[in-house]
Amino acid sequence: LAWPPTGRLLRALSLLTVASLILALCQPLVRLPSRNGTVVVVADRSLSMPSTGLSEQSRWVALLRKGMEAGDQLAVVAFGHDAVVEAPPGSGEFAGFQHDLDTGQSSLASGLEMALSLIPDDGNGRVVVFSDGLWTGANPHAAATTLASRGVGLDFRVQSRPKADDVAIERIAVPATVHRKQSFLISAWVRSPAVKQATYQLL
């Protein structure tokens, strides 16, 4: 390498120095993809859920919030027959489940659709479902497919009742219409893991 630089090398060094000064004056910024995003908890509050599972949900929400980083947001959706937003996306404390839901059904699909609506189209997101996996109404597969197409991750924590010695009513059949004072028949199918006597009350 010649020193002092020859004419051609000197011109190259001069151009490089000027270009560096111009870039420094412009203060260029490189935007890296953000890892921050929105986590939406979807909590099953239906009658099929075990009582311990329902109480655990608030504890898990608190643990998720504790693990959040600056810029992250946490939202909570509860579902029974319908889905409701218990906590919109934010970084504040979760006040607990406040809505009085119709718990006779379990619309998981509605819960997933509500969760997706809370995640910005141009943002990162993840959905965490707490449920026993039993659902009614629309098949949740379509909603899960939509989440995947948006690049939204889906996690599932099973909270189910113990299966041992579980007696359950599988189906009840009643006439579609009856006239006033007309007698009619109600049929029920009950499943039991063992032969036993059972007492029931019809209201």
Side-chain angles (χ1 to χ4, degrees):
L1 182 64
W3 192 264
T6 61
R8 182 177 295 178
L9 182 59
L10 182 60
R11 285 195 299 272
L13 289 173
S14 299
L15 288 174
L16 182 61
T17 303
V18 172
S20 299
L21 288 172
I22 292 174
L23 284 174
L25 290 172
C26 292
Q27 295 181 339
L29 295 177
V30 178
R31 291 191 174 273
L32 298 175
S34 173
R35 294 175 60 86
N36 300 122
T38 303
V39 175
V40 184
V41 172
V42 179
D44 187 348
R45 309 294 291 178
S46 65
L47 286 175
S48 65
M49 289 287 292
S51 57
T52 54
L54 294 175
S55 61
E56 276 184 352
Q57 290 173 356
S58 293
R59 182 173 65 86
W60 278 102
V61 170
L63 288 174
L64 285 171
R65 184 191 173 281
K66 187 177 180 181
M68 290 170 53
E69 299 179 353
D72 290 337
Q73 296 192 97
L74 181 67
V76 180
V77 170
F79 70 92
H81 181 273
D82 300 301
V84 297
V85 177
E86 291 283 4
S91 57
E93 296 284 348
F94 178 54
F97 295 94
Q98 307 293 330
H99 287 80
D100 186 16
L101 292 171
D102 177 359
T103 57
Q105 297 189 48
S106 182
S107 181
L108 177 55
S110 297
L112 294 177
E113 292 167 359
M114 181 76 73
L116 183 59
S117 71
L118 299 177
I119 299 173
D121 293 338
D122 57 348
N124 298 323
R126 196 160 200 88
V127 174
V128 182
V129 178
F130 297 137
S131 175
D132 57 4
L134 302 176
W135 52 269
T136 59
N139 192 322
H141 182 267
T145 301
T146 304
L147 287 172
S149 67
R150 277 270 307 272
V152 177
L154 178 61
D155 297 305
F156 195 96
R157 182 173 180 83
V158 179
Q159 296 180 302
S160 58
R161 294 177 181 274
K163 300 299 183 182
D165 201 28
D166 185 22
V167 178
I169 299 174
E170 288 191 329
R171 184 158 58 99
I172 296 179
V174 296
T177 58
V178 292
H179 297 291
R180 185 177 180 181
K181 296 185 178 181
Q182 175 187 349
S183 299
F184 61 94
L185 180 67
I186 297 177
S187 300
W189 286 258
V190 180
R191 176 175 50 81
S192 172
V195 177
K196 62 176 62 182
Q197 290 185 338
T199 302
Y200 67 90
Q201 185 179 16
L202 176 65
L203 303 177

